[in-house]
């Protein structure tokens, strides 16, 4: 069942994003301030006091709305803190958009931030509720869980493991090549396919370059009613669709679970396409920012999002279909592979790239006349995920 949607009822009129990386000398407050400062600088005459409400997305870098109100010294404005696994930043954006569409507010801001490097851990931090230790998510690391996509895909579609390995390598190569052109990416170096293929293994056939990194970062968006957008900018970004799907979670314990698709992604994509009136995403979408947490994940997402036929994404990838100059550029900013994944900020970082591309401000990464973009986040692990899909456009209608 599709949501009614809020197509063309709200617009992004300004955005900000820090460089993602190892910010040892910057605090969570510093990152938030930098992102918000860039955002507001794009709309002269607009100040923090003009923003009526805020939504903050963070997994573990603060509790309650005070995380934002303290950093920005807000004057008793409402701040809602949200968390939804890797879709946390997108969830802040989704709820902020709904608030404006409802008529409750005229100007709101969605902010996402995460400081992961200072934790001392090599991966994402999380606090699980008390349990008996038998929960599925406690039995496998994230790389181990997602590594299962590779052999399952080969077995189901009869793909030679060598061809699948080449396709996974191409995903990493493509995204690092894009990130090398992005001054805000954590990793700004192209990586040869030979180096990717020879990297130390982490889990299954996933090597170091098949896995996204860990970083710090913040991003934000100023959101207003669509009819007011041109009071702030001549080039707003209009929200066409916002869709979220949370799995029942039972598949994580199902020995017959199919590791070649994420049902949550399929459902959220279908919902978003209905809201936006998209009937052929392969031709109607100009660009996509997807959750490339691991290279086989991006390949499966190409099929779940309708960008490739079932069992065909590996070949399309090798043919360059999703390269920056391909038929549907995917992760032109470098994706999680180049940015790392500060959980609360990633979803808004994806929208930031759409913002730059629509405005013709993406520099060497600039695409030719993009008009409709998709962003996607996937949180959790195969069998128990949340999936977010947005569609945004440069024009009304």
């Amino acid at each position: 069942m599709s949501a009614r949607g809020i197509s063309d009822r709200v617009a992004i009129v300004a955005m900000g994003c820090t460089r993602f990386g190892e910010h040892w000398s910057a605090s969570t407050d510093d990152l938030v301030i930098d992102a918000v400062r860039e955002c507001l600088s794009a709309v002269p005459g607009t100040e923090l006091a003009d923003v009526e409400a805020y939504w903050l997305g963070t997994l573990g870098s603060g509790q309650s709305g005070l995380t934002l109100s303290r950093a920005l010294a807000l004057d008793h404005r409402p701040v809602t803190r949200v968390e939804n696994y890797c879709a946390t930043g997108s969830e802040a954006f989704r709820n902020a958009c709904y608030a404006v569409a409802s008529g409750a507010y005229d100007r709101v801001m969605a902010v996402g931030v995460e400081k992961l490097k200072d934790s001392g851990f090599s991966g994402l931090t999380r606090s699980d509720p008390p349990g008996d230790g038998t929960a599925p998510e406690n039995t496998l690391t994230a790389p181990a869980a997602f590594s299962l996509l590779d052999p399952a895909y080969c077995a189901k579609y009869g793909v030679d493991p060598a061809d699948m390995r080449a396709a996974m390598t191409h995903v990493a190569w493509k995204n690092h090549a894009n990130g090398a052109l992005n001054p805000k990416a954590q990793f700004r170096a192209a990586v040869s396919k030979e180096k990717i293929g020879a990297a130390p293994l982490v889990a299954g056939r996933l090597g170091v370059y098949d896995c996204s990194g860990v970083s710090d970062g913040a991003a934000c968006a100023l959101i207003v009613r669509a009819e007011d957008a041109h009071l702030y900018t001549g080039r707003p970004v209009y929200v066409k669709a916002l869709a979220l799907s949370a799995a029942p979670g039972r598949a994580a314990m199902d020995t017959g679970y199919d590791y070649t698709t994420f049902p949550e992604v399929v459902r959220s994509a279908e919902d978003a396409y209905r809201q936006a009136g998209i009937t052929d995403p392969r031709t109607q979408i100009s660009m996509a920012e997807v959750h490339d947490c691991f290279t086989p994940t991006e390949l499966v997402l190409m099929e779940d999002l309708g960008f490739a036929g079932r069992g065909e994404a590996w070949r399309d990838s090798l043919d360059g279909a999703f390269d920056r100059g391909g038929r549907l550029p995917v992760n032109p900013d470098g994706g999680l592979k180049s940015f790392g994944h500060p959980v609360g900020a990633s979803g808004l970082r994806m929208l930031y790239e759409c913002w730059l591309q629509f405005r013709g401000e993406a520099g060497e990464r600039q695409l030719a006349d993009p008009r409709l973009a998709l962003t996607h986040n996937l949180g959790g692990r195969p069998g128990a995920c949340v999936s977010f899909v947005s569609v945004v456009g440069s024009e009304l209608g």
Side-chain angles (χ1 to χ4, degrees):
M1 184 70 178
S2 175
R4 291 190 183 92
I6 57 170
S7 182
D8 284 338
R9 290 168 60 184
V10 301
I12 304 169
V13 293
M15 291 202 73
C17 184
T18 68
R19 183 183 65 82
F20 282 29
E22 298 185 350
H23 289 289
W24 300 108
S25 60
S27 66
T28 298
D29 289 4
D30 293 330
L31 296 174
V32 165
I33 291 168
D34 287 347
V36 171
R37 180 183 290 123
E38 180 187 342
C39 182
L40 291 178
S41 69
V43 280
T46 300
E47 302 176 350
L48 276 177
D50 299 318
V51 181
E52 298 165 335
Y54 297 80
W55 275 259
L56 167 69
T58 187
L59 178 73
S61 294
Q63 295 179 323
S64 86
L66 290 176
T67 303
L68 189 68
S69 64
R70 275 195 299 250
L72 299 179
L74 299 179
D75 186 16
H76 298 87
R77 288 293 192 266
V79 181
T80 303
R81 183 256 187 181
V82 301
E83 180 274 313
N84 211 348
Y85 274 2
C86 299
T88 292
S90 295
E91 186 75 321
F93 178 73
R94 186 175 74 102
N95 282 272
C97 288
Y98 286 157
V100 172
S102 74
Y105 300 104
D106 294 328
R107 291 174 300 277
V108 304
M109 186 174 284
V111 182
V113 66
E114 212 74 60
K115 273 286 282 172
L116 296 175
K117 299 304 295 186
D118 292 358
S119 72
F121 292 95
S122 61
L124 304 184
T125 58
R126 52 184 288 174
S127 298
D128 292 313
D132 62 3
T134 61
E137 58 266 29
N138 293 334
T139 61
L140 288 175
T141 64
F146 281 89
S147 74
L148 300 175
L149 303 180
D150 165 26
Y153 190 97
C154 291
K156 182 170 183 176
Y157 297 115
V159 179
D160 188 315
D163 290 333
M164 184 65 173
R165 177 60 263 178
M168 290 159 55
T169 295
H170 188 88
V171 169
W173 172 83
K174 166 183 70 75
N175 292 349
H176 278 294
N178 292 343
L181 304 176
N182 195 330
K184 296 202 173 185
Q186 178 180 24
F187 304 115
R188 293 201 61 205
V191 185
S192 70
K193 291 187 176 181
E194 292 74 21
K195 186 172 183 178
I196 294 168
L201 295 179
V202 176
R205 292 204 303 166
L206 298 187
V208 170
Y209 290 103
D210 291 297
C211 310
S212 61
V214 179
S215 62
D216 306 325
C220 65
L222 181 63
I223 301 153
V224 304
R225 295 181 298 175
E227 59 264 36
D228 296 337
H230 283 281
L231 299 176
Y232 300 86
T233 177
R235 292 174 292 177
V237 172
Y238 298 99
V239 175
K240 308 291 183 178
L242 300 166
L244 183 75
S245 172
R250 293 186 296 269
M253 297 177 283
D254 182 0
T255 57
Y257 176 72
D258 185 346
Y259 280 83
T260 67
T261 181
F262 297 99
E264 306 88 337
V265 177
V266 174
R267 294 293 188 92
S268 56
E270 290 174 348
D271 189 356
Y273 294 155
R274 288 191 199 101
Q275 293 177 39
I278 292 173
T279 55
D280 184 7
R282 298 192 204 194
T283 60
Q284 290 174 273
I285 299 292
S286 304
M287 60 170 282
E289 286 284 319
V290 308
H291 203 88
D292 58 317
C293 50
F294 302 95
T295 54
T297 309
E298 181 171 317
L299 294 173
V300 170
L301 292 177
M302 295 302 93
E303 298 177 10
D304 283 348
L305 293 169
F307 299 160
R310 290 295 175 187
E312 297 176 0
W314 70 272
R315 183 181 290 108
D316 287 354
S317 181
L318 288 173
D319 289 343
F322 310 120
D323 290 2
R324 201 167 64 254
R327 64 171 170 83
L328 202 171
V330 173
N331 290 332
D333 70 346
L336 272 68
K337 285 296 295 105
S338 292
F339 272 83
H341 181 30
V343 185
S346 288
L348 283 156
R349 183 268 300 165
M350 294 175 174
L351 286 160
Y352 182 75
E353 178 67 7
C354 303
W355 166 262
L356 293 177
Q357 291 285 351
F358 288 158
R359 296 170 66 85
E361 297 174 356
E364 295 179 81
R365 307 185 313 284
Q366 185 61 49
L367 305 176
D369 195 28
R371 295 174 182 268
L372 208 60
L374 175 147
T375 72
H376 165 264
N377 285 127
L378 184 69
R381 59 190 60 217
C385 290
V386 294
S387 172
F388 168 87
V389 173
S390 81
V391 179
V392 294
S394 60
E395 302 172 345
L396 275 172

